[in-house]
Amino acid sequence: MFQNVSQVGNLLQNRESLLSLKPGQLFSGKILKHYPDQLAALSIRGTTVVAKLETMVNAGSSYWFLVKEGQGVPKLQVVQPDIAAAKTETLAMNSTQLTTSKEGQMLLQDLKLTGTPFTRDQLKEGAQLLKDPSISRQLGLDTIRTMIQQQLPLTKGVFQSLVALAQSPHLSEGLTNLETKLASSAMNQSSQMMQAFLSRTDGPSTQSPVDQILKTLLDRNASPTEKQAAMAILSKLQWPGVASNSSVDSFLTKWMPTDVSTEISLIKQSLLSENDLSKIHRNWASMIQQPTTTIEQQLIQKAVKETVMPHVFVNGKQMTFANQLLNLVQLVGYQDEANVANQPLAPSIKSLLVQLMGESQSSEIRTQAERVLHTITGHQIQSLSSDPAFVQTMLSLPITLGEWKTDLMIQWQGKKQDDTTIDPENCRLLFFLELERLKETMVQVTIQKKIVHVTVTNHQDRPDALIKMLEPIIKQSLEKMDYQFTAVSWKTWPTESPVSNNRTFTPPQVPTSYQGMDIRI
């Protein structure tokens, strides 16, 4: 499983990480080659930079440099040699020693090894944050380095939010734990509010694909050929007592669902044995990979298409899944700060957490509420970008798929348009979630000039037959929105990926102004 969101970002990042130097920053680099006019090529964390040096030094040696000018060709001051025998605690800027504390030395060494440019103030503020005894040194170093690299303010609030995101990135799990604590307390009103919020996290409704096969047998408009093909499919699924030549009438006489007008699954009405249900669904997964007749393939393709409903029902209201995602953004409270001028603010999970932290008499509830609040804030901070021309937004949304509660992490990446929204014709969308059976899954949607390519990353082998069935459906849906579809690629997680068997899936993002596609996973 992913250890934290920043690791996911590193794993998926396909843009070249450009080194940006600013006046006042200090870094360690190696002189590669000299050029005329005091220019030199330097190697910094594997990146070659051409800069102008105030003092000429030996090529092939490493030095500490201070950035005097960052625009165009950087102008650098040589501070002192960086050799194994040199002690970093003697490193000074403007004749003043940078740091003497143990925490400062640890941070200085970490920034040197990772090639991270930093300022004197960042080193001082970071060393102070590193003194927090409740946070492990390695997690503290990783977090502070990230804050410096992303040019985030080194404040206690930002630090705690990013640490909480690394320690407890699963929003749905944190909310469920808090709901349990509230239910066992005397805070009935807050408990009811949290239950009401979580009841609005439903995702698309699903049904068994076998239900669609049974509907074919019940459909008066279905041809005898289609019904016999449906019987052949049930035979391949090893439905009890069914052979490929069994008659439709005898099957319906024995297995007729009790009520075909309700939303209750037809297969669950027909097969009361959980063992039979499990066996048939396992057989379905293997059957669709086997050769079938043309009519059987058409029925299976239709069944797969109808497995996920196109709409979501929340509190009795029907809406598209895309609109439900936007509602979840508001429900969690990601837009609370942006909507502060719109009084009164709509109730959100974030506002309830703030309320609990101030009103609850239980330290356990206050601690859990603060932990979840920091997780939400951490996701907001992760979405900040120092590049004015580029948008990278990352959000985690609690979502319920049937009875399975998980987090859907969404990330948008792309160039910013004149109106500050992302360009829907040239961007990348990443979906991360842990599914009940497929487990850790990432879906990457790359869009270039309205040409769409989908890449699925999972631990399972590529389901060729299923993808072959789904590709025409995806192509047809995208063409309706004037997008071209290329193909679905399938990758497996590398063994060296940041995945661990003892943790649950941790994914990263969703601007509400996105006007591209309604993508259904």
Side-chain angles (χ1 to χ4, degrees):
M1 308 305 321
F2 290 115
Q3 298 298 310
N4 54 53
V5 172
S6 62
Q7 286 182 320
V8 176
N10 294 336
L11 181 67
L12 302 169
Q13 188 59 265
N14 66 350
R15 293 191 306 144
E16 182 181 358
S17 180
L18 300 178
L19 185 66
S20 177
L21 297 176
K22 294 178 172 55
Q25 286 183 327
L26 196 69
F27 67 90
S28 175
K30 182 179 181 180
I31 301 292
L32 300 177
K33 187 177 181 180
H34 286 295
Y35 297 102
D37 298 326
Q38 293 184 287
L39 295 177
L42 289 79
S43 175
I44 310 170
R45 73 180 188 204
T47 300
T48 301
V49 176
V50 175
K52 188 169 186 176
L53 306 181
E54 289 187 348
T55 306
M56 297 306 293
V57 287
N58 297 328
S61 299
S62 297
Y63 297 86
W64 283 97
F65 296 95
L66 174 65
V67 182
K68 305 295 287 187
E69 294 180 15
Q71 294 294 329
V73 177
K75 186 176 181 180
L76 306 178
Q77 173 189 331
V78 179
V79 178
Q80 71 177 45
D82 180 17
I83 56 179
K87 295 183 178 180
T88 53
E89 60 261 28
T90 63
L91 188 62
M93 195 186 328
N94 298 329
S95 301
T96 304
Q97 196 168 336
L98 280 178
T99 179
T100 57
S101 69
K102 178 178 64 175
E103 292 80 12
Q105 288 304 309
M106 293 178 63
L107 179 57
L108 182 60
Q109 188 67 13
D110 180 88
L111 297 174
K112 170 190 169 180
L113 293 176
T114 57
T116 304
F118 60 92
T119 67
R120 178 178 179 176
D121 287 341
Q122 286 174 331
L123 183 63
K124 179 181 177 181
E125 293 165 356
Q128 190 63 33
L129 293 174
L130 201 56
K131 292 180 180 180
D132 190 332
S134 64
I135 299 170
S136 71
R137 283 294 163 81
Q138 190 56 55
L139 177 57
L141 287 170
D142 292 343
T143 304
I144 294 167
R145 185 192 326 116
T146 299
M147 294 168 70
I148 292 174
Q149 290 172 344
Q150 296 185 5
Q151 301 177 39
L152 299 173
L154 274 77
T155 63
K156 185 177 180 180
V158 174
F159 180 63
Q160 289 179 334
S161 293
L162 293 180
V163 166
L165 189 59
Q167 292 177 326
S168 306
H170 309 293
L171 194 54
S172 58
E173 181 181 319
L175 291 171
T176 301
N177 290 341
L178 181 58
E179 180 189 21
T180 302
K181 296 181 189 303
L182 287 171
S184 60
S185 71
M187 304 185 68
N188 296 329
Q189 185 175 358
S190 298
S191 177
Q192 291 172 3
M193 286 182 64
M194 182 60 70
Q195 289 175 358
F197 283 143
L198 295 181
S199 69
R200 293 161 55 188
T201 63
D202 287 340
S205 300
T206 60
Q207 65 176 1
S208 168
V210 184
D211 275 2
Q212 189 62 40
I213 304 301
L214 294 176
K215 287 180 181 178
T216 301
L217 297 176
L218 296 168
D219 187 358
R220 294 179 179 178
N221 296 321
S223 67
T225 304
E226 289 175 323
K227 292 189 176 185
Q228 203 55 51
M231 290 300 300
I233 292 173
L234 292 178
S235 173
K236 292 178 180 179
L237 293 176
Q238 297 181 27
W239 190 288
V242 173
S244 58
N245 58 354
S246 297
S247 72
V248 175
D249 291 338
S250 63
F251 175 84
L252 292 179
T253 300
K254 183 175 181 179
W255 299 104
M256 181 69 176
T258 56
D259 189 353
V260 298
S261 65
T262 68
E263 296 293 327
I264 301 175
S265 169
L266 298 181
I267 185 174
K268 286 187 177 181
Q269 292 184 55
S270 302
L271 288 176
L272 300 181
S273 168
E274 286 293 333
N275 290 334
D276 287 339
L277 284 171
S278 298
K279 185 178 84 170
I280 284 178
H281 284 134
R282 285 196 304 270
N283 291 341
W284 175 272
S286 59
M287 182 203 66
I288 59 177
Q289 303 291 339
Q290 300 170 2
T292 56
T293 65
T294 301
I295 187 66
E296 288 174 10
Q297 188 175 20
Q298 290 173 351
L299 291 180
I300 293 171
Q301 185 178 40
K302 182 180 179 181
V304 170
K305 182 179 179 181
E306 297 298 325
T307 298
V308 180
M309 304 300 177
H311 295 93
V312 181
F313 290 90
V314 181
N315 291 342
K317 296 181 180 179
Q318 178 178 299
M319 65 183 72
T320 65
F321 184 43
N323 285 335
Q324 168 66 341
L325 291 180
L326 298 182
N327 286 342
L328 288 175
V329 172
Q330 299 287 346
L331 178 69
V332 173
Y334 287 119
Q335 295 292 312
D336 281 4
E337 290 80 5
N339 296 334
V340 71
N342 303 328
Q343 298 293 342
L345 280 175
S348 68
I349 291 174
K350 190 173 184 179
S351 62
L352 176 59
L353 295 173
V354 173
Q355 178 183 328
L356 289 172
M357 289 171 59
E359 296 180 1
S360 176
Q361 296 181 354
S362 166
S363 61
E364 194 176 13
I365 289 177
R366 290 197 304 271
T367 299
Q368 181 64 18
E370 183 179 25
R371 186 177 294 120
V372 178
L373 180 62
H374 279 319
T375 299
I376 295 173
T377 305
H379 282 295
Q380 291 177 298
I381 293 171
Q382 282 281 336
S383 296
L384 297 176
S385 174
S386 58
D387 188 344
F390 187 78
V391 178
Q392 175 166 300
T393 304
M394 181 187 298
L395 296 178
S396 177
L397 303 172
I399 191 166
T400 304
L401 302 173
E403 297 180 359
W404 178 255
K405 294 183 182 295
T406 187
D407 290 313
L408 171 61
M409 199 165 285
I410 313 174
Q411 187 179 45
W412 269 261
Q413 296 177 338
K415 290 185 177 180
K416 194 179 292 185
Q417 300 185 111
D418 292 339
D419 61 356
T420 74
T421 60
I422 199 169
D423 181 2
E425 297 181 8
N426 298 277
C427 61
R428 184 169 67 151
L429 297 89
L430 303 168
F431 299 85
F432 313 78
L433 69 167
E434 182 179 12
L435 297 170
E436 188 172 5
R437 292 184 177 86
L438 287 178
K439 302 304 178 185
E440 306 90 356
T441 302
M442 179 179 78
V443 179
Q444 176 175 316
V445 183
T446 304
I447 308 170
Q448 292 182 333
K449 297 181 179 180
K450 303 190 79 172
I451 299 175
V452 181
H453 185 87
V454 177
T455 302
V456 180
T457 305
N458 190 267
H459 289 293
Q460 313 292 330
D461 293 333
R462 176 186 170 95
D464 290 314
L466 179 61
I467 290 177
K468 186 177 179 180
M469 290 181 194
L470 289 174
E471 283 184 330
I473 299 173
I474 299 173
K475 184 175 185 293
Q476 184 181 32
S477 298
L478 289 174
E479 285 177 346
K480 291 179 181 178
M481 294 178 283
D482 198 27
Y483 283 82
Q484 297 180 47
F485 173 70
T486 54
V488 173
S489 299
W490 188 278
K491 296 181 179 180
T492 55
W493 292 113
T495 54
E496 67 274 13
S497 68
V499 175
S500 147
N501 291 328
N502 60 355
R503 294 193 58 169
T504 46
F505 181 60
T506 308
Q509 301 180 358
V510 98
T512 57
S513 57
Y514 178 70
Q515 300 295 323
M517 303 177 297
D518 175 2
I519 296 178
R520 184 178 71 183
I521 302 177

